[in-house]
Amino acid sequence: MLKHYEISGTDFSAAGEASSNFKLILKQLGLPADIVRKVAISMYEAEINTVIHGGGGTCDAEISDKSIVISFNDNGPGIKDIDLAMKEGYSTATDTVRELGFGAGMGLPNMKKYADDLQIKTTPGKGTTVVLTINL
Amino acid sequence: MPYFHSVTLDQNKCHGCTNCIKRCPTEAIRVRGGKAKIIKDRCIDCGECIRICPYHAKQAKTDSFDMLKKFKHTVAMPAPALYGQFKDVTDVNKILTALKQIGFDDVFEVARGAEIVAAATRKMIETGTLSKPIISSACPAVLRLIRVRFPDLIKNILPICSPMEAAAMEARREAILKTGLKSEDIGIFFISPCPAKVTSIKSPLLRDKSEVNGAISVADVYMKICNIVKTLNNPEQLAKAGLEGVSWARSGGECKSTHTIINIAVDGIGEVIKVLEEIENGNLDDIDFVELLACDGGCVGGPLTVENSYVCSNRIRNMISLDPETKPLENLNESCFLWKRTLEPAQTMQLADNFEEAMQKLERIDKIWGTMPKLDCGSCGAPSCKALAEDIVNGFATENDCIFKMRERVQNLAKELFDLESSPRGTDTEDSRPD
């Protein structure tokens, strides 16, 4: 089953809606609590990044009997140094974003921690694609 | 065990309007055949529908004073929210003495139970074995909410019994010592600010049987003792709980008693849901303790109370008779106050037992929802178009329940009838076949 979400880059109050909606679906499917948690945390982090760094984008989530694959696409500035971005506490978030309580530098580290696989394709100046896989 | 719910419907008063279905935090109400119907598995007894119903058709089942007669010795256990119900009364002793005057043999404050739970909580936090953020287990509506909507957060809940159960255990022990009677001759009565507590007595989740025998609403007790409390001089000195325990009636009281630094106190079911979502997203892992209370302002805002919750909250803070110092409890064996059972998730959101079937249902729900007007008007009896789509797929409703869908069908039907009517003797199109 495929789910598609549009993610606004300007509406911070709506940040997290896609993951919230998808979480509900997982519960309706009766997936175990640890899977719901892994998806909830990694997807939420990716969604927030799409909002605060990517300037909005899209999210496509696919559920099969073996895995959940969620990809986030944006046309934002891209990630200059992935190794640095993977470090806990490192963030390029602007002051405005930090004032809203985001930008703690835990986004990518948490995705790596909670997803079973994390793939990042990024081109500076063009955008980023993040693919999270959670095995069932 | 048959599942008991305190929140029930008075069929005669129900108009079948959409107020309660829209307000219910677990989408547990539908209007069917012009009357509201509570879906038992989903209801968490929070009492939101009682508050919103303009016709007072939703009510909480509580016990009557007649039940006192069943026991040789009765103990009233007032929730601390009772203390703030009376204007110009700043001495808890007056309220407790009044309870004895209306027929209870003794009193035991639930606030003392709160102090026991607080001490046990502090000890447990010290061990450092609990998953953060630790979620309070004091509000039974929140426990049921987590069970229904956030089963993955069960592991974060503090596995200590409620102040009511802790108080009841102590009250019973004390009463047996004092009277020499058998346990079954002693009736413990909780004076309840909310229906969720009543349900937790009649149908407990975390133990086989509650230590409490009956539940009487704060409102019913208020009616009986109001005048006594106001005219009483020289009350008996019965109050034993300090400000720490009594403060549990207000949002933030429990948080303070945990002695944690990083904690949040959240009240009101809508805010509670938002915070649980955040905990689920891993956003609040740096917080030590989360107090969650379903009613606005905490238990002072319970649906079975009388006084405005803000006023009640202020009165409790200003109770002069309360000792502001936390009294350390001697010889506390916190293992007595642990849950007797684990909290099992309620799979009421799950669409089917097996994954494939659930997936098929989800796809059908999406398809049906796509054709809906998405006005969430509630006229069909479900709280939203999405909920109706789920009901249709689960076989509890049909597309004709949607009045917009129905109108569309009627319009199409009318058009068909019109077409039929306009050509009663065959069509006017020229028949080109040779005569």
Side-chain angles (χ1 to χ4, degrees):
Chain A
M1 189 175 64
L2 263 169
K3 280 285 182 187
H4 176 81
Y5 302 100
E6 295 288 331
I7 294 157
S8 161
T10 47
D11 187 0
F12 282 91
S13 66
E17 256 176 30
S19 27
S20 186
N21 180 295
F22 194 64
K23 213 159 59 177
L24 184 73
I25 290 174
L26 302 186
K27 290 177 189 175
Q28 287 182 313
L29 287 172
L31 289 174
D34 59 314
I35 299 280
V36 175
R37 182 169 165 80
K38 280 162 90 173
V39 174
I41 297 178
S42 57
M43 186 173 174
Y44 176 77
E45 295 288 6
E47 185 178 353
I48 295 299
N49 276 359
T50 307
V51 177
I52 63 176
H53 297 295
T58 57
C59 167
D60 292 279
E62 186 173 13
I63 312 171
S64 70
D65 53 353
K66 291 190 182 63
S67 64
I68 296 167
V69 181
I70 311 157
S71 63
F72 284 89
N73 293 286
D74 68 57
N75 300 313
I79 305 167
K80 277 190 192 128
D81 186 336
I82 292 192
D83 290 338
L84 207 53
M86 292 303 297
K87 272 195 184 153
E88 287 189 10
Y90 176 81
S91 176
T92 57
T94 61
D95 287 346
T96 325
V97 165
R98 282 170 205 254
E99 272 166 25
L100 290 166
F102 301 110
M106 289 307 292
L108 285 168
N110 265 345
M111 282 181 240
K112 191 162 179 57
K113 188 173 163 193
Y114 288 97
D116 294 312
D117 184 64
L118 169 68
Q119 298 290 332
I120 306 167
K121 274 180 220 148
T122 182
T123 317
K126 290 225 165 134
T128 304
T129 298
V130 169
V131 183
L132 305 160
T133 306
I134 289 96
N135 298 326
L136 294 183
Chain B
M1 183 194 292
Y3 193 49
F4 170 93
H5 271 290
S6 173
V7 175
T8 48
L9 178 81
D10 181 343
Q11 290 270 353
N12 296 326
K13 287 184 181 169
C14 179
H15 288 215
C17 69
T18 60
N19 283 298
C20 62
I21 58 173
K22 304 288 283 182
R23 180 71 166 253
C24 176
T26 55
E27 296 192 333
I29 314 173
R30 300 290 184 272
V31 175
R32 292 279 174 259
K35 301 284 175 192
K37 179 182 185 303
I38 303 170
I39 303 165
K40 286 189 174 176
D41 290 346
R42 289 192 184 183
C43 173
I44 58 170
D45 287 289
C46 64
E48 287 295 308
C49 54
I50 297 180
R51 269 189 265 264
I52 193 79
C53 179
Y55 310 107
H56 308 290
K58 291 283 181 6
Q59 48 197 229
K61 249 193 258 168
T62 53
D63 294 310
S64 76
F65 285 94
D66 285 344
M67 199 180 161
L68 268 70
K69 293 178 199 147
K70 284 191 186 170
F71 301 92
K72 286 182 184 153
H73 181 83
T74 55
V75 183
M77 284 204 330
L82 178 72
Y83 303 170
Q85 304 296 316
F86 310 91
K87 202 175 177 196
D88 301 326
V89 175
T90 52
D91 184 358
V92 174
N93 289 304
K94 286 190 177 178
I95 299 162
L96 300 176
T97 306
L99 285 171
K100 284 183 77 173
Q101 291 193 4
I102 59 165
F104 291 102
D105 297 310
D106 208 345
V107 290
F108 193 103
E109 300 171 83
V110 172
R112 284 173 70 193
E115 283 168 0
I116 293 169
V117 173
T121 304
R122 289 192 291 267
K123 267 196 166 181
M124 240 180 148
I125 290 175
E126 265 175 38
T127 64
T129 52
L130 301 167
S131 310
K132 278 213 292 179
I134 303 161
I135 299 174
S136 153
S137 56
C139 175
V142 168
L143 285 187
R144 285 180 193 265
L145 174 72
I146 294 176
R147 202 171 154 253
V148 172
R149 277 190 62 170
F150 303 93
D152 47 318
L153 296 181
I154 288 177
K155 63 174 179 24
N156 290 65
I157 306 174
L158 184 71
I160 298 178
C161 72
S162 67
M164 178 189 76
E165 288 296 340
M169 282 158 78
E170 286 302 294
R172 188 170 295 278
R173 203 173 54 90
E174 233 183 63
I176 291 171
L177 276 176
K178 259 191 206 171
T179 63
L181 289 167
K182 281 189 250 162
S183 181
E184 59 262 37
D185 292 329
I186 293 160
I188 310 274
F189 289 84
F190 178 57
I191 315 295
S192 183
C194 80
K197 282 278 181 211
V198 181
T199 302
S200 79
I201 294 167
K202 310 281 176 191
S203 202
L205 286 174
L206 302 164
R207 51 179 65 235
D208 293 335
K209 194 175 175 294
S210 171
E211 289 289 328
V212 184
N213 298 98
I216 299 173
S217 78
V218 164
D220 287 350
V221 168
Y222 176 87
M223 298 294 283
K224 280 214 162 193
I225 67 172
C226 187
N227 286 329
I228 305 175
V229 169
K230 283 180 183 163
T231 52
L232 196 72
N233 293 313
N234 304 320
E236 276 185 71
Q237 296 302 300
L238 298 165
K240 288 184 181 163
L243 187 63
E244 180 189 58
V246 175
S247 295
W248 279 50
R250 315 165 60 221
S251 176
E254 181 184 9
C255 253
K256 194 159 184 247
S257 75
T258 62
H259 297 183
T260 51
I261 307 287
I262 308 169
N263 57 47
I264 53 172
V266 185
D267 56 278
I269 197 84
E271 293 303 312
V272 166
I273 290 171
K274 277 191 214 162
V275 166
L276 287 169
E277 286 267 357
E278 289 210 50
I279 297 174
E280 216 169 36
N281 292 342
N283 258 354
L284 303 177
D285 287 356
D286 56 335
I287 290 175
D288 292 319
F289 192 85
V290 180
E291 175 188 319
L292 301 174
L293 298 169
C295 296
D296 288 341
C299 303
V300 290
L304 306 183
T305 60
V306 178
E307 184 58 276
N308 167 321
S309 67
Y310 299 95
V311 172
C312 181
S313 189
N314 176 267
R315 279 189 200 140
I316 284 173
R317 203 169 55 204
N318 295 334
M319 286 273 165
I320 46 164
S321 59
L322 299 176
D323 184 353
E325 291 294 317
T326 300
K327 276 167 272 173
L329 294 158
E330 281 163 36
N331 308 323
L332 175 79
N333 181 2
E334 69 270 24
S335 63
C336 300
F337 303 101
L338 294 177
W339 287 356
K340 305 281 183 263
R341 271 196 226 155
T342 51
L343 185 62
E344 294 299 331
Q347 304 290 19
T348 57
M349 291 172 83
Q350 202 172 329
L351 292 166
D353 287 339
N354 76 68
F355 181 76
E356 269 140 63
E357 202 185 320
M359 197 88 133
Q360 283 165 4
K361 278 192 173 179
L362 256 181
E363 275 166 10
R364 280 174 56 209
I365 289 167
D366 263 6
K367 215 172 152 193
I368 294 170
W369 186 65
T371 68
M372 296 248 163
K374 299 181 188 69
L375 292 170
D376 296 339
C377 67
S379 302
C380 61
S384 65
C385 294
K386 195 64 172 256
L388 177 63
E390 286 172 20
D391 286 353
I392 293 170
V393 169
N394 283 321
F396 302 128
T398 68
E399 286 200 35
N400 288 341
D401 287 322
C402 172
I403 57 166
F404 295 92
K405 285 260 176 193
M406 189 67 164
R407 193 169 65 179
E408 215 176 273
R409 278 194 68 186
V410 170
Q411 276 168 353
N412 288 341
L413 207 63
K415 194 174 168 291
E416 242 173 80
L417 282 173
F418 181 78
D419 288 350
L420 279 174
E421 198 269 338
S422 61
S423 53
R425 290 178 196 170
T427 51
D428 285 342
T429 45
E430 213 171 304
D431 197 330
S432 57
R433 284 175 298 191
D435 291 326

